[in-house]
Amino acid sequence: MSPARTPRYTVPGLGVDQGRQVIDLLTLRLHALNDLSLTLKHIHWNVVGPHFIAVHEMLDPQTAAVREMADAAAERISALGGEPQGTPGVLVKERTWEDYSVGRADAIAHLGALDLVYTGIIEDHRAAVAKAGELDPVTEDLLIEHLRGLEQFQWFVRAHLESSSGTLSNAGADTEEKAAAAASPKRAAAQRTPAKKTARPAPAKKTVATAAKKTAKKTASKRTTR
């Protein structure tokens, strides 16, 4: 990401160089939030399967909240004397991550991938909080407020991925595709399928003696039958 220009002015009590550093922090956070809101809508449009309506409707409030976070970040940049960049071209040019990589897929598979998206954004937000704390407590507070919402949304997502023992179905996946595959209901069903029953051994062949005894019984029966 190209560094922000040093603003001509900034908020009282903060030097213009400090203001520029905070604007730099917020600019990448703005890109991440704008990207997340688009990703959430992409998933909202592309989920299928038995959990479609639950996930489809869960994502709209998250999208709206993330857009409000982006708006707050952009307005803070403006208050600091900066120029918030909200065009798609700038986002793509300056971001440090690739596009979300899962298309039309089962709702739970999408949530497996979305969990990784939230993890990346939350980790970067926390790093930005640590840096902002050294420069500007107001921006630090803003980002902490974002984290409250983002971490709650990830909790909603993970509730669909967690087993009764507390294990996430996508645990250990390091790409969106792997996380989606790990969370896929088809894979879960395959893991629950019991092993095929082995064929029972064929009954032992009748011995000559056994056959003779049965013949004798039948003969005796015929003799006593009236």
Side-chain angles (χ1 to χ4, degrees):
M1 185 187 75
S2 57
R5 292 178 298 177
T6 300
R8 294 181 180 275
Y9 68 90
T10 193
V11 294
L14 202 66
V16 290
D17 185 59
Q18 291 173 311
R20 179 190 57 76
Q21 293 179 60
V22 177
I23 291 168
D24 274 343
L25 281 177
L26 284 171
T27 295
L28 200 53
R29 294 300 82 223
L30 174 60
H31 292 336
L33 291 168
N34 279 333
D35 186 87
L36 175 59
S37 69
L38 292 170
T39 297
L40 288 169
K41 265 301 179 185
H42 168 83
I43 297 172
H44 171 83
W45 294 324
N46 284 287
V47 292
V48 296
H51 299 89
F52 161 76
I53 197 64
V55 174
H56 181 79
E57 292 186 350
M58 179 183 75
L59 296 180
D60 260 348
Q62 294 189 19
T63 304
V66 169
R67 284 175 174 167
E68 289 183 6
M69 294 177 195
D71 189 55
E75 290 180 353
R76 183 61 183 164
I77 291 172
S78 292
L80 289 162
E83 183 180 344
Q85 299 293 319
T87 62
V90 175
L91 190 163
V92 172
K93 179 181 178 182
E94 297 187 351
R95 69 184 179 182
T96 58
W97 57 90
E98 298 297 327
D99 267 343
Y100 183 75
S101 56
V102 181
R104 192 171 183 82
D106 182 89
I108 303 303
H110 265 299
L111 293 185
L114 180 58
D115 178 44
L116 264 64
V117 174
Y118 269 122
T119 293
I121 289 175
I122 289 168
E123 287 176 347
D124 288 346
H125 246 65
R126 282 183 168 271
V129 165
K131 293 179 181 177
E134 301 171 359
L135 299 166
D136 177 26
V138 177
T139 297
E140 177 189 31
D141 183 66
L142 174 68
L143 295 175
I144 289 172
E145 187 62 30
H146 289 178
L147 280 169
R148 288 191 183 96
L150 293 170
E151 290 177 1
Q152 183 186 55
F153 296 155
Q154 187 177 36
W155 169 46
F156 292 167
V157 169
R158 285 181 165 180
H160 293 78
L161 306 173
E162 186 178 2
S163 69
S164 58
S165 63
T167 302
L168 294 175
S169 59
N170 63 342
D174 56 0
T175 68
E176 292 162 2
E177 293 92 339
K178 290 179 182 178
S184 172
K186 290 182 179 180
R187 175 170 175 174
Q191 291 175 337
R192 291 194 298 267
T193 302
K196 292 182 179 179
K197 294 181 179 179
T198 55
R200 292 182 179 180
K205 293 182 178 179
K206 296 178 181 179
T207 61
V208 175
T210 302
K213 286 181 181 179
K214 287 191 175 183
T215 302
K217 285 182 179 179
K218 286 180 180 180
T219 303
S221 177
K222 286 179 180 179
R223 285 175 183 170
T224 57
T225 300
R226 292 182 183 180

